[in-house]
Amino acid sequence: MGKLDPRLRHLAQRLLVDRSESAAVRALAAEETELAEILIRCVGSATLQALRQQGAEIDSVIPGPYLAVSGRAPFDRLPSIAQLPGVAEIEAARPLVMDLDQSLAATRTTVLHEGDPAVTGEGALVAVIDSGIDYTHPNFRHADGSSRIRFLWDQRGPTLPGGPVPFGREYTQDDLNEALRLTTPHQSVSHTDRNGHGTHVAGIAAGNGRAGDTPFCGVAPGAELIVVAYRGEGVTIGRSTRALAAFAYVVEKARALGRPVAVNFSQGMNGGGHSGETVLETGLDNLAREPGVVLVKSAGNEQDWNIHASGTVRNAQTTAVELSVQTNNRDDDVVEIWFSGEDRISVEVETPEGERLSPVALGHRRDFLTRAGNSLFIESAVNASDTGDTRVTLILSLGSAAFIQPGIWRLHLHGDAIRHGRFDAWIERSDRSVQGEQTRFSPGSAEPSSTISIPGTARRIITVGSYVTRPADGFGAPLGQISNFSSRGPTRYGVQKPEIAAPGELIISARSAHSLEPQRPDQWHTPMPGTSMAAPHVTGAAALVLGVRPDLNCEQVKQILMRSARVDGFASTAPDNVWGAGRLDCGTAVEFARSARFPVIGGVVVRGKRVSWETDIPTTGAVRFHTHQRQLQLGKSLGSRTHLTFDTRHEVDLSDLDPGDYFLEILAFSQDNWWSLEDNQGLLLRLHIPDGETERAGVPVEDEPWVMVDGVPTPWSP
Amino acid sequence: MNEALLEKTDARTRRVLSQGEPGSYEALIRTASLITAEERARLEMAGFITFCVVGTVLSGAIPSSGCLDAVAELPFVEEIELSRPLYEE
């Protein structure tokens, strides 16, 4: 009977005793029969036959590692069906009263909430960095009315001199509880969420479903919350400096409480090289190393906006990229073109009138004024953000004109000296509430890959795409498909993104009483679409995982979520840069988390051309290397050398590499295929391969060996 | 705008600075390695008001563009990126 979900189990047992449970049976029954509508997870076509022999009527079968079967079965046969060896789980159909919990069913979260014992994220924290929160909403309060929010940092509140935060105002749980006891709480804690985005996101991740007659429960209803509210300016929700301060704040608070934290960040921007190299992404990757800290970000809704172009420039040839500027465009347009530092490409701009401005060569910068009166600044910067790559920035602004000249602007990329030729270009976001403000690449120039918004291209954080669990009134993608707006990977260095997909269209969650969002289906709830809504499903899932394994770090939780992801239906193409590893499956993720054991790497020694290390359990291993430190830090390698024997002692010989200085990182894979990375706390390991002349001259070539001591390379002797 | 600031900032940051709006700026700073107490003191002497330190990245405020020049001249500062807007998704 353990395979039956609790409701079915209860009814099946009661039916054996007393058939007067008919009212409850009818609630789960198909029409007027005593057949239960069920979903079954099973394996093998023989199991399907066995189900039919038990009286089950099968409506549909979705293939995958497990078969997902929908249909009906007699109530009194459920115990027998549960005993079939190929059946893993039987779940009752959920009432479709308000379609409120489609996403929890889709992510197999309800089996955790209703399990014995229930898994709800208790012991973990969920942090939401966003527009704020309606702290009076019942979903963020306990049954006794007290707050589930441990800390609320309102960055836009009046700054308290000498207070615990550098700007704005911090409210503790005691402050909130004191306010909630008042008839007008906002006279005490004035914070409100007028935007509504933050309240909605928090509800998905951690709402407890106490509001309204038709409760919608979040993924981690047992977790407590930390909330940071930005000060938005116009259409922007916040700024990168305050975002990093918010992340640091929530991690500091979580450490002080001794609890793990899953942090949700449902915002982004398009400016940058999309390889994780921005300063904000560097900071977030630093933070994501900490045990008990998981960072989750929305993939972005950029897929339909033609904000990415790419192509190849050949030696002594020219490739043109077209920008489509609309009428009524007044804000600056910022375009970044990135290419390898081994290429020399100059950029020449042609206006819609056909005026051609002088080419700007590698490493130069220049201001232009077009005949139509617009200003254009072009800068070609080598070794941008220490990546070794070149970034050409174009800033197109009004100048003396009333608007930026509408029409097609052509960017002519001249291949002055080419070794690789690949380029990528992105357009920064504009105010899309103003018709015509957002410039795009023309359809012939736009490339649908690599549209993940920043900081979603950071290496360590978990980036989340959106799929449809509730189609939006005939628009958009069909049920079960990836959302049309969901941004795609990979990063510019080819790292797969997003990591995973979760429901993001349409999602009903908590509505802020101070927002103008529609009251649908009731005053407490409202629907919203976006990867903003997908990310908190994963944040809540991370909290569920951390609740049972508080020791895990972001990359370990990421592995668990990705390994447990479902690849059924439309997601059968996964793993890829659309779905990531597939659809979020919270039930399987928690199951994996309980037993996952990640290897520990130690005893690293670099001696001459060899690298050796030890692991606490038998693993295979690999050494990834690059001559460029920053590129390897961002996930790009020149190659790897492997040690394929399961052992606790490992050595890799790198003597076949060309002479030079190399940076290294070590990967260890357990027999269960969980992996760990040793990268000297981000600084990487170093190895020097001397040239043959040096060796023949009799100069000692074996470097002094060194080992890692507390993360610091230290001379070693036997 | 001194040579160090030209070298350690990107075009977007310099575009904002060139518009010369009065008031303070907020910026993210990337350092070559983990910042020491002495280096942090030097940053503050240059006018940087630290919001937070996360490994090799600091977030903070700078009261004027003149102070930005002084911050850029510090040898352990590798990159300065003025605060950028974020959009809900």
Side-chain angles (χ1 to χ4, degrees):
Chain A
M1 292 278 262
K3 299 176 187 176
L4 289 174
D5 84 16
R7 287 191 291 171
L8 285 174
R9 195 185 316 145
H10 169 76
L11 285 170
Q13 284 174 329
R14 291 299 295 271
L15 275 173
L16 291 175
V17 176
D18 179 5
R19 295 195 84 80
S20 65
E21 286 289 325
S22 58
V25 168
R26 276 199 293 278
L28 290 173
E31 298 171 355
E32 293 302 313
T33 67
E34 282 191 359
L35 293 173
E37 288 202 38
I38 53 177
L39 297 170
I40 300 175
R41 182 165 63 95
C42 61
V43 293
S45 54
T47 304
L48 297 178
Q49 192 166 347
L51 287 171
R52 290 189 179 97
Q53 286 168 351
Q54 291 289 336
E57 298 171 13
I58 295 176
D59 293 332
S60 68
V61 179
I62 298 176
Y66 283 100
L67 302 177
V69 178
S70 70
R72 292 164 298 281
F75 270 98
D76 57 2
R77 294 293 186 89
L78 290 177
S80 305
I81 290 173
Q83 286 179 15
L84 293 173
V87 169
E89 190 175 2
I90 306 172
E91 198 173 279
R94 297 295 186 262
L96 297 178
V97 176
M98 287 291 182
D99 286 355
L100 292 177
D101 58 356
Q102 289 296 299
S103 66
L104 293 196
T107 55
R108 293 194 61 248
T109 307
T110 44
V111 292
L112 293 173
H113 294 175
E114 295 174 357
D116 184 16
V119 176
T120 61
E122 198 173 325
L125 294 160
V126 163
V128 177
I129 301 172
D130 213 290
S131 63
I133 194 166
D134 179 356
Y135 69 88
T136 67
H137 196 291
N139 282 5
F140 309 120
R141 298 166 71 172
H142 296 294
D144 65 0
S146 63
S147 180
R148 294 174 54 222
I149 302 169
R150 294 300 297 260
F151 293 97
L152 167 57
W153 176 15
D154 187 343
Q155 293 190 344
R156 58 181 180 256
T159 301
L160 205 64
V165 290
F167 46 86
R169 176 80 188 267
E170 178 191 76
Y171 299 102
T172 64
Q173 191 174 41
D174 287 343
D175 295 329
L176 297 171
N177 285 335
E178 198 177 303
L180 289 169
R181 283 191 279 269
L182 303 175
T183 311
T184 50
H186 292 95
Q187 285 189 342
S188 175
V189 174
S190 59
H191 170 75
T192 56
D193 177 16
R194 294 191 180 280
N195 178 304
H197 189 264
T199 299
H200 196 269
V201 161
I204 296 168
N208 64 8
R210 288 191 57 246
D213 294 330
T214 51
F216 174 77
C217 192
V219 175
E224 291 189 299
L225 292 110
I226 301 176
V227 177
V228 180
Y230 284 130
R231 180 183 69 204
E233 294 159 4
V235 295
T236 67
I237 197 169
R239 302 192 70 85
S240 56
T241 42
R242 301 202 168 206
L244 191 66
F247 276 100
Y249 171 84
V250 302
V251 171
E252 181 195 320
K253 290 299 180 190
R255 273 203 213 111
L257 292 170
R259 308 256 286 273
V261 62
V263 188
N264 191 87
F265 193 69
S266 285
Q267 309 106 50
M269 54 185 170
N270 288 338
H274 290 70
S275 59
E277 86 293 338
T278 64
V279 184
L280 175 60
E281 289 171 305
T282 303
L284 296 183
D285 269 344
N286 289 343
L287 211 49
R289 293 175 171 275
E290 306 271 336
V293 174
V294 176
L295 309 184
V296 181
K297 190 210 163 310
S298 47
N301 304 334
E302 301 303 287
Q303 197 55 26
D304 290 337
W305 285 92
N306 286 359
I307 51 90
H308 173 239
S310 69
T312 303
V313 182
R314 295 195 159 69
N315 203 40
Q317 294 186 15
T318 299
T319 298
V321 177
E322 294 186 345
L323 283 176
S324 174
V325 175
Q326 308 299 305
T327 53
N328 198 35
N329 185 341
R330 290 182 170 78
D331 287 345
D332 287 0
D333 286 334
V334 180
V335 178
E336 291 184 25
I337 307 170
W338 287 75
F339 51 87
S340 167
E342 293 185 287
D343 291 336
R344 297 183 69 88
I345 297 175
S346 54
V347 178
E348 177 187 356
V349 174
E350 179 184 351
T351 71
E353 287 180 338
E355 177 190 1
R356 287 183 82 131
L357 309 173
S358 306
V360 176
L362 187 78
H364 290 75
R365 58 174 71 94
R366 192 155 169 191
D367 278 293
F368 298 94
L369 189 65
T370 71
R371 281 199 291 265
N374 294 144
S375 293
L376 175 64
F377 173 69
I378 303 177
E379 175 186 270
S380 172
V382 299
N383 194 26
S385 296
D386 278 340
T387 59
D389 299 329
T390 299
R391 172 185 57 218
V392 177
T393 307
L394 294 87
I395 303 177
L396 181 55
S397 49
L398 290 176
S400 58
F403 47 80
I404 295 174
Q405 189 175 12
I408 300 298
W409 292 68
R410 285 184 182 80
L411 314 181
H412 297 282
L413 278 56
H414 301 298
D416 299 331
I418 299 296
R419 183 159 178 208
H420 303 283
R422 161 93 188 195
F423 70 89
D424 288 277
W426 288 274
I427 305 175
E428 180 58 287
R429 276 189 70 154
S430 298
D431 180 357
R432 292 172 183 171
S433 67
V434 176
Q435 181 72 24
E437 195 57 69
Q438 179 70 60
T439 291
R440 316 174 192 216
F441 291 110
S442 299
S445 292
E447 161 62 42
S449 66
S450 301
T451 55
I452 298 284
S453 65
I454 286 165
T457 50
R459 188 178 180 186
R460 286 191 162 72
I461 67 175
I462 302 172
T463 303
V464 186
S466 162
Y467 72 89
V468 181
T469 49
R470 192 164 190 272
D473 296 332
F475 293 93
L479 184 67
Q481 177 58 291
I482 202 79
S483 298
N484 288 340
F485 52 73
S486 188
S487 288
R488 299 169 188 202
T491 72
R492 189 165 57 89
Y493 285 159
V495 175
Q496 181 191 292
K497 289 281 184 182
E499 271 79 6
I500 200 165
E505 185 182 2
L506 279 165
I507 305 300
I508 296 178
S509 179
R511 176 183 172 277
S512 169
H514 294 92
S515 77
L516 298 176
E517 297 296 332
Q519 299 180 25
R520 198 190 314 156
D522 55 38
Q523 68 179 109
W524 302 113
H525 299 97
T526 193
M528 287 190 189
T531 54
S532 279
M533 282 67 244
H537 282 90
V538 175
T539 304
L544 297 178
V545 168
L546 290 172
V548 301
R549 288 290 302 275
D551 58 305
L552 299 179
N553 64 29
C554 193
E555 283 195 314
Q556 291 166 339
V557 172
K558 181 195 290 194
Q559 287 183 57
I560 287 168
L561 294 176
M562 292 177 74
R563 286 266 299 270
S564 58
R566 300 197 332 271
V567 292
D568 52 354
F570 288 112
S572 60
T573 58
D576 62 15
N577 289 299
V578 176
W579 289 92
R583 303 179 202 272
L584 175 67
D585 183 331
C586 295
T588 307
V590 168
E591 191 181 313
F592 281 11
R594 292 191 194 282
S595 60
R597 183 173 176 188
F598 296 90
V600 176
I601 300 172
V604 178
V605 176
V606 179
R607 186 188 181 106
K609 305 169 193 175
R610 291 188 295 277
V611 182
S612 61
W613 67 94
E614 296 174 3
T615 48
D616 61 332
I617 57 175
T619 66
T620 59
V623 175
R624 300 174 77 240
F625 57 86
H626 205 307
T627 52
H628 197 287
Q629 182 183 34
R630 190 99 171 95
Q631 291 191 8
L632 187 57
Q633 288 169 335
L634 296 173
K636 185 177 182 182
S637 69
L638 290 179
S640 64
R641 296 291 181 269
T642 54
H643 181 244
L644 294 177
T645 306
F646 279 103
D647 205 336
T648 57
R649 292 174 177 271
H650 312 269
E651 184 172 277
V652 165
D653 184 347
L654 295 163
S655 58
D656 65 324
L657 296 182
D658 290 337
D661 292 308
Y662 290 85
F663 296 91
L664 315 172
E665 58 186 20
I666 297 170
L667 283 158
F669 299 87
S670 73
Q671 287 172 314
D672 293 327
N673 218 25
W674 301 112
W675 57 263
S676 295
L677 178 75
E678 170 57 57
D679 65 354
N680 189 19
Q681 295 179 4
L683 297 175
L684 304 174
L685 308 165
R686 297 180 189 223
L687 176 130
H688 173 69
I689 304 288
D691 60 43
E693 291 298 323
T694 308
E695 287 189 88
R696 284 192 287 276
V699 175
V701 298
E702 295 260 320
D703 290 339
E704 288 297 318
W706 54 270
V707 297
M708 305 294 294
V709 177
D710 294 332
V712 177
T714 305
W716 171 81
S717 59
Chain B
M1 199 179 299
N2 62 22
E3 199 59 41
L5 193 59
L6 276 174
E7 190 185 302
K8 295 179 183 180
T9 52
D10 69 356
R12 291 178 66 176
T13 292
R14 279 181 267 107
R15 162 94 175 142
V16 171
L17 293 174
S18 69
Q19 287 172 327
E21 290 190 17
S24 65
Y25 300 94
E26 290 186 7
L28 296 173
I29 289 177
R30 181 169 62 83
T31 57
S33 55
L34 295 179
I35 195 164
T36 64
E38 187 252 336
E39 287 168 343
R40 188 141 171 205
R42 290 173 69 187
L43 258 179
E44 285 169 14
M45 278 185 53
F48 189 76
I49 300 163
T50 305
F51 296 159
C52 69
V53 180
V54 180
T56 54
V57 176
L58 294 90
S59 171
I62 300 167
S64 68
S65 57
C67 289
L68 258 177
D69 282 325
V71 167
E73 282 180 339
L74 295 170
F76 52 87
V77 170
E78 297 261 297
E79 189 173 0
I80 302 170
E81 186 181 282
L82 284 191
S83 195
R84 293 182 177 175
L86 295 159
Y87 299 83
E88 65 186 51
E89 296 176 331

